[in-house]
Amino acid sequence: MECEIENDIQLLKKYITNKDRLLHCVSTAENMARYASLFSIDYNTAYFCGLYHDLAKELSPQEMLDLTESFIKREILPIAYLDFKRETPTLLHGVASAELLIRELGNVPKDRIVAICAHTLGGQGLSRLAKYMFMFDFCEPRRRYKEAHKVFNILIKEKDFDKAYLATYIHQISQLLDKKKNICPESIEGYNEAIAYVTK
Ligand SMILES: [Fe+2]
Ligand SMILES: [Fe+2]
């Protein structure tokens, strides 16, 4: 299937210079698009989100904060736990990426903006696209940690969307616990919702 932006990574290269990160973005895009139809997700939408979700990742903390403030003023969607995230501005790289995309491309559909904003921490009440983005950022095949392969297998081989979504939170939160790092309440809320959905 042809993708409207499949060969267009010039915008990505404008902001991403690290080769591994560039390959992560392309791999996320290609894999999200490849399996999108399994989960009734639009091919081009999946590719777009995968390609651009980390667009602002190489900017400075202050640039991420500035982009976030601009994004908030647009009133497209509320950003929860801002004080927590401002303490670690890289947590806002999804929001900053969304703002960059709007500046570069003009109108970007809201479903894509929401998915890109939520890809780092997850959260409750996310769309299927946003959940898919959150999972694939964690499990795209270039990821080297073993938990990524587990989530990928649950999602693609078992085709168990909800179980893979829950497993993503479990692995992400476990990594933070192991490193004795703070956990954003947004991820806890996402986990609580995901586990309720799997066990109901
Ligand atoms: Fe990211
Ligand atoms: Fe990423």
Side-chain angles (χ1 to χ4, degrees), residues 4-5 7 13 22-23 29 32 45 47 62 65 82 95 98-99 103 106 116 135-136 143 148-149 192-194 197-198:
E4 62 194 13
I5 57 166
N7 297 314
K13 287 183 172 175
L22 200 59
L23 290 171
M32 283 182 68
T45 300
Y47 191 94
Q62 190 57 53
L65 290 169
L82 259 176
V95 180
E99 174 64 18
R103 290 186 185 183
I116 289 169
M135 286 189 272
F136 256 111
R143 296 295 204 193
H149 301 298
N192 286 338
E193 184 186 70
Y197 209 73
V198 167

Side-chain angles (χ1 to χ4, degrees), residues 4-198:
E4 62 194 13
I5 57 166
E6 192 145 16
N7 297 314
D8 185 8
I9 62 167
Q10 294 312 308
L11 175 57
L12 191 63
K13 287 183 172 175
K14 181 175 172 182
Y15 292 99
I16 301 292
T17 58
N18 177 282
K19 188 181 171 193
D20 277 343
R21 183 166 295 115
L22 200 59
L23 290 171
H24 160 67
C25 293
V26 172
S27 173
T28 305
E30 290 179 346
N31 281 280
M32 283 182 68
R34 181 177 179 186
Y35 300 108
S37 65
L38 288 179
F39 306 105
S40 304
I41 291 168
D42 177 70
Y43 182 96
N44 288 321
T45 300
Y47 191 94
F48 181 98
C49 291
L51 195 64
Y52 295 134
H53 72 283
D54 277 338
L55 195 63
K57 183 94 176 186
E58 294 182 0
L59 299 182
S60 71
Q62 190 57 53
E63 286 173 315
M64 287 186 204
L65 290 169
D66 292 344
L67 285 165
T68 297
E69 297 312 315
S70 297
F71 181 81
I72 290 166
K73 287 185 185 144
R74 295 182 188 276
E75 297 185 339
I76 296 171
L77 70 148
I79 305 299
Y81 303 108
L82 259 176
D83 289 344
F84 182 100
K85 295 171 185 173
R86 284 192 183 110
E87 291 288 314
T88 312
T90 189
L91 293 177
L92 288 163
H93 74 266
V95 180
S97 297
E99 174 64 18
L100 264 189
L101 279 170
I102 293 169
R103 290 186 185 183
E104 289 283 353
L105 303 176
N107 190 31
V108 178
K110 187 175 176 182
D111 62 338
R112 300 182 183 194
I113 293 293
V114 171
I116 289 169
C117 284
H119 87 265
T120 309
L121 297 169
Q124 61 184 348
L126 296 184
S127 66
R128 199 158 176 83
L129 171 66
K131 291 177 178 178
Y132 189 65
M133 171 81 256
F134 177 66
M135 286 189 272
F136 256 111
D137 182 44
F138 182 82
C139 78
E140 62 90 359
R142 286 187 57 81
R143 296 295 204 193
R144 294 186 179 93
Y145 36 85
K146 68 179 186 307
E147 293 84 359
H149 301 298
K150 288 182 186 170
V151 169
F152 185 87
N153 285 339
I154 296 169
L155 184 62
I156 301 305
K157 292 189 176 165
E158 296 180 30
K159 297 183 179 55
D160 194 331
F161 191 95
D162 293 331
K163 188 176 164 191
Y165 182 58
L166 174 62
T168 304
Y169 283 109
I170 289 171
H171 293 312
Q172 279 203 353
I173 291 170
S174 296
Q175 287 170 359
L176 291 168
L177 288 169
D178 287 345
K179 294 175 186 170
K180 295 186 172 59
K181 287 193 170 182
N182 289 340
I183 300 169
C184 184
E186 198 167 28
S187 295
I188 304 291
E189 289 169 358
Y191 164 79
N192 286 338
E193 184 186 70
I195 200 164
Y197 209 73
V198 167

